[in-house]
Every structure is written in C-alpha cells, then in structure tokens.
Amino acid sequence: MSQLPPPPPPAAAGNQYGAEHAAAKKAVALAARLCKKVQQDLLKLDIQTKADRTPVTVADYGSQVLVSLVLKMDLPSNSFSMVAEEDSEDLRKDEAQEMLEHITKLVNETIINDGSYSITLSKEDVLVAIDGGKSEGGPSGRHWILDPIDGTKGFIRGDQYAIGLALLDEGKVVLGAMACPNLPFKSIGDRNGGSSGDQVGVVFSATIGCGSTVETLGGSQPQKISVCSISNPVDASFFESYERKHCMRDCTSSIAEKLGIQAPPVIIDSQAKYGAIARGDGAIYWRFPHKRSKESVWDHAAGSIIITEAGGLVKDASGKDLDFSKGRYLDRDAGIIATNKYLMPLVVKAAQEAMKEEGILG
C-alpha cells in the first residue's frame, strides 16, 4: 500500500518532551511484559471460554501499577497526575485480598526480571500506585492518560490488546506510547490480523512535532512510519472494532457503500487499529458507537497522536478535532474517524449522510 513520506524529524535537542517520551515507552513495554505472562497463563487454562474475568482484572491492575511506577521513578515530580481506568476500591475489600496478593507478586516479579529498579512493592504500595490514576484531567497542567489494557475481550481471547499512554499538556495531547504485544511488527496482511512476518509485539510512539515510530517490543531501532497516501476510497480498506457495541455495523456498511469501498472490513480489538493505520496497513479506522455511549479519553489519546504525527487526521463525525481537555470523557459528536488528509473530507461527508439516514443526526 502506498504511503505518504514521513516528515523529517527535527533535531533531538528540539524535543522538549524527550525524557517523558523515553519514560512512556519504557512504561508501556514493562506493563506489556506482565500482561503477556498473564495472557499466556490464561490461555493455558482456557479461561477465555468462561465468565471469569479475574485474569484480565489482574493484568489491568498490574499494568497500571507498573506504568505509574516507571513514570514516578524516571520523572520525579511533586505534581504527578494520571487519568486512568482503574482505582483500588474493590481491591481494598476483604474478599479481594488473595487477588491483591497475586497482583503484588506479579508486579514484583516483573520488576525483578526487568532489572531497572531495585525496589520491592508492598500491597499498600500497589494500592497507592493504582490510585495514582484518579485524576480528572482537564485543560490546565500536565496529566498522563492511561488505558492499562485496551481491548479486554481481545486479551481474554488471546487476540489483540494494547497498553496506551499519552501526555496531556495544557489540554493538548503532546506524546503517546502504545504497546501492542500481539500485533505483528510487519503489516497486517489479511482481515483476521495475519502477518507478512514472524516478529510479534510492537511499541508505537509519537511526540508532537517529531513524527511517529514503531519498534519491536524488545526495543529494536525505531522506524519512522506514515499513513497511506490513497486518495480514492475505492482503493481503501477500513478497520472496525471487534466489539459490536463500539460500532453500528448497519451505519458503517452504509458509509462504506457510499464511498464505494470494495474491501471487507478488517476487524480487530483495541487501539492497535490506530497503530496499524498510522503505519499504512489500512486507510481508514472508524468508530460509531451506539447512541448515548460515552468515549473515555484513555481509549483514544495515545492512538490519536500516533496517527496525527504519522501524517494522518483524527476527527469526530462532524470533522472536528477531538478535545481531550474536558476531563475523563471526550467531548465529541457521534463518531470517530482516523484516516489521511485526502480521504477525511470524503469519509466525513459519507458518515454525515449515513447517520442522517439512520436517524442518528437531525
């Protein structure tokens, strides 16, 4: 698939978020180690076929603890603020003490195996680290935005999931890092997420004004990435969420028909879709949740800057930029679209027409 040439990177000295960018990549990669272990154990036990959500809950909490730890250790600050999905309320209950013990053990094992820090966390340390994500965010100051596991259903099935971390500075997302432990390093080659290469596990990252990169989860040399340069929607492929509640399929089928798109949708879980679009695996990602559903900022913050720094655009269904400054939820109109600059106006127009026909817009 043809791609836009990546913008030239500025001098390293011009990156005012260099330390934060390095810490963010380190944080999501470390969290991914814990998540991979939990997922591997989960699949061995075949728990993904049951209603028991304990393993993904353990990984969610453990991931959030490790990200919080890395950011606090590598970026000492008296004003740490993080907007994240989890809090410790349930873990403080008597019936959750066995789970808390398990999470603490997994976190400490991950820290020891990594070797970056000579520290052992107590159960109380774990609870405090989790509650570091209680911030409400907002338009002033700096706030980290974390989704410790995006794509929990994919995680349980052994499919795609992501650890997404972004930095909000004065209401604007200025950097993002996203670990996708099950995403191939080379492009996705078929609608089921197949690969043209054998390496699996990547970290996408971006800093405002510096472009987007991808590297292996093990830390290979970062490679610059860019969105595709397709201008005719007939030649485009599009990505959708696996979860039906995240996408009104009747509406998106109508949008695809209006655009003349021939290819069937590529359906995968999590913000991994943002990374795939950012490196040109496909042309469009859209998300049109069912009416009245709220969009949490952590579901889109990291992925959106990875797309925009790769030369793409991320808009709501009215063609407006996403606003991450309103707290824990996005202030947006109806849906979210990520694509290149050529296709965006065509997709927005088709989306508006389809939503009016579906009665979603007046």
Side-chain angles (χ1 to χ4, degrees):
M1 182 173 288
S2 57
Q3 293 176 278
L4 293 172
N15 182 3
Q16 63 175 309
Y17 300 104
E20 290 85 352
H21 181 246
K25 287 203 300 180
K26 182 178 178 180
V28 297
L30 187 61
R33 290 190 188 184
L34 181 146
C35 293
K36 283 183 68 176
K37 183 182 187 312
V38 174
Q39 190 184 54
Q40 287 163 2
D41 293 343
L42 169 67
L43 295 175
K44 287 177 187 175
L45 296 172
D46 199 31
I47 296 175
Q48 73 272 22
T49 62
K50 304 174 186 176
D52 183 8
R53 288 181 54 85
T54 300
V56 73
T57 304
V58 167
D60 252 328
Y61 284 129
S63 174
Q64 187 157 317
V65 171
L66 288 170
V67 169
S68 177
L69 171 70
V70 172
L71 295 178
K72 289 180 178 179
M73 294 289 285
D74 289 17
L75 304 167
S77 170
N78 293 324
S79 58
F80 179 79
S81 173
M82 187 163 72
V83 183
E85 192 167 11
E86 307 297 342
D87 64 53
S88 73
E89 182 180 355
D90 289 340
L91 276 181
R92 293 182 183 273
K93 296 175 181 177
D94 289 342
E95 61 267 28
Q97 291 313 293
E98 186 177 344
M99 180 186 287
L100 176 58
E101 186 79 43
H102 183 40
I103 293 166
T104 305
K105 181 173 180 288
L106 278 171
V107 166
N108 283 322
E109 286 176 353
T110 307
I111 294 169
I112 290 168
N113 291 336
D114 175 65
S116 295
Y117 309 109
S118 298
I119 185 172
T120 302
L121 301 188
S122 67
K123 289 189 288 186
E124 183 58 30
D125 292 332
V126 166
L127 294 170
V128 169
I130 292 169
D131 283 338
K134 281 186 171 181
S135 172
E136 292 297 318
S140 60
R142 286 190 176 190
H143 309 280
W144 291 97
I145 301 175
L146 170 69
D147 194 335
I149 291 185
D150 183 45
T152 53
K153 297 286 181 64
F155 180 90
I156 292 171
R157 290 196 317 274
D159 290 338
Q160 298 299 333
Y161 66 99
I163 299 100
L165 178 64
L167 178 61
L168 191 72
D169 192 355
E170 300 302 321
K172 185 175 181 64
V173 178
V174 295
L175 72 82
M178 184 169 62
C180 304
N182 290 339
L183 194 71
F185 182 62
K186 294 189 177 180
S187 67
I188 295 174
D190 61 48
R191 61 183 300 190
N192 296 314
S195 169
S196 57
D198 293 325
Q199 282 187 299
V200 174
V202 299
V203 175
F204 295 98
S205 63
T207 304
I208 190 167
C210 298
S212 297
T213 63
V214 65
E215 60 197 85
T216 63
L217 199 52
S220 64
Q221 184 68 25
Q223 297 180 8
K224 297 290 285 187
I225 57 174
S226 62
V227 297
C228 77
S229 59
I230 288 173
S231 58
N232 187 342
V234 173
D235 301 322
S237 61
F238 66 98
F239 283 47
E240 287 187 335
S241 298
Y242 191 97
E243 282 292 300
R244 287 190 173 273
K245 70 177 181 180
H246 293 158
C247 208
M248 294 181 290
R249 296 283 164 81
D250 289 345
C251 181
T252 58
S253 294
S254 175
I255 297 170
E257 185 177 348
K258 290 177 184 297
L259 290 168
I261 294 175
Q262 303 296 311
V266 180
I267 299 176
I268 61 174
D269 301 277
S270 85
Q271 286 187 71
K273 293 183 287 294
Y274 276 117
I277 295 297
R279 68 181 182 186
D281 289 5
I284 306 164
Y285 162 45
W286 52 45
R287 178 174 167 124
F288 293 90
H290 291 275
K291 204 169 183 178
R292 298 183 180 176
S293 67
K294 287 184 175 181
E295 292 279 5
S296 301
V297 291
W298 50 76
D299 285 331
H300 302 282
S304 66
I305 191 170
I306 290 166
I307 289 269
T308 57
E309 285 298 314
L313 300 171
V314 182
K315 307 282 186 180
D316 70 11
S318 295
K320 300 174 187 172
D321 291 335
L322 304 186
D323 186 351
F324 291 92
S325 71
K326 302 297 185 182
R328 296 174 74 86
Y329 297 99
L330 278 176
D331 182 14
R332 60 100 178 104
D333 186 4
I336 294 174
I337 302 164
T339 187
N340 64 35
K341 62 184 179 181
Y342 308 115
L343 294 174
M344 181 61 80
L346 304 175
V347 178
V348 169
K349 181 175 182 290
Q352 295 260 313
E353 292 174 358
M355 288 189 292
K356 284 179 181 177
E357 291 170 4
E358 294 284 333
I360 301 166
L361 294 180

